[in-house]
Amino acid sequence: MLVNTRFATALLVGSLALASAPAAAQEVEEVHPGKGGSPHEAHTWTVGDATIKITYGRPNLKGRDLDELVSESAPDGPVWRTGADEATTLDVSQGLKIGDLSVPAGTYTLYTLPGESDWQLVVSKQTGQWGTEYDEGQDLGRSPMTKETLSEPVEQLTFKVDETDAGGTLAIEWGTTRVSAPFTVGQ
């Protein structure tokens, strides 16, 4: 009977661990430590048959206000580089449909357009530039993002991809702000 109790306990603990595991598998690779102290990382997720990789600088808030940081990062306009140093890149192995925006397989730069209540995800065809070098003429398109307030602040800028029944959700968290956009694979 003792063996069965241990087996049942192990089975329960294993089941709980699986239930709390993230839906999208993620790999993290350090790219470089960053020129201003913001580490640069490449995060890779698998959603369905698609591989989604986002490479970005991960600044810390360090007690600063997110709205002020966004204003400083985009002095010539409202588009924000959404990361530190080099522009944030998105690599997708298959086409995605982010909201109503079709994104073919390939490499892109991500920016955001912050708003009072909603944000826009900006996907640019231009790649390899410094993060503040934004050219609206290179936009592949834009997709709305839903803004939420987090109960606990996130110190370091974080991109997340969660798998859903319909595909996935791309989210950005920093401070008490979370913005997200749903996507489907194979569009």
Side-chain angles (χ1 to χ4, degrees):
M1 185 74 167
L2 183 58
V3 172
N4 288 339
T5 304
R6 286 185 182 159
F7 176 74
T9 301
L11 184 60
L12 177 62
V13 170
S15 297
L16 290 173
L18 285 175
S20 63
Q26 178 185 7
E27 295 177 23
V28 179
E29 168 192 351
E30 184 175 333
V31 176
H32 64 76
K35 296 176 174 89
S38 298
H40 288 249
E41 297 175 349
H43 293 238
T44 305
W45 298 269
T46 302
V47 177
D49 294 333
T51 301
I52 300 165
K53 180 179 180 181
I54 299 176
T55 305
Y56 65 110
R58 299 192 63 207
N60 288 291
L61 278 176
K62 299 178 186 174
R64 300 172 293 180
D65 179 77
L66 178 59
D67 291 332
E68 289 175 18
L69 288 173
V70 169
S71 298
E72 291 170 12
S73 297
D76 296 329
V79 173
W80 178 43
R81 71 171 150 188
T82 318
D85 304 324
E86 304 95 280
T88 296
T89 59
L90 167 70
D91 293 291
V92 292
S93 65
Q94 290 191 28
L96 302 179
K97 187 156 190 168
I98 305 172
D100 291 332
L101 175 63
S102 293
V103 180
T107 302
Y108 304 91
T109 296
L110 295 180
Y111 295 95
T112 51
L113 179 60
E116 189 73 27
S117 58
D118 292 320
W119 289 32
Q120 295 281 317
L121 178 67
V122 180
V123 180
S124 174
K125 297 176 283 186
Q126 181 182 12
T127 60
Q129 72 277 15
W130 192 251
T132 56
E133 295 174 17
Y134 171 69
D135 178 358
E136 186 174 355
Q138 292 291 318
D139 284 3
L140 175 68
R142 297 177 179 195
S143 180
M145 300 186 86
T146 303
K147 182 179 176 183
E148 303 169 60
T149 301
L150 299 169
S151 58
E152 295 291 323
V154 174
E155 175 64 23
Q156 193 172 36
L157 177 70
T158 303
F159 277 85
K160 292 184 173 183
V161 171
D162 296 315
E163 194 166 7
T164 65
D165 291 339
T169 302
L170 169 65
I172 304 166
E173 297 179 353
W174 205 22
T176 56
T177 299
R178 174 185 165 91
V179 291
S180 61
F183 68 85
T184 55
V185 175
Q187 301 300 317

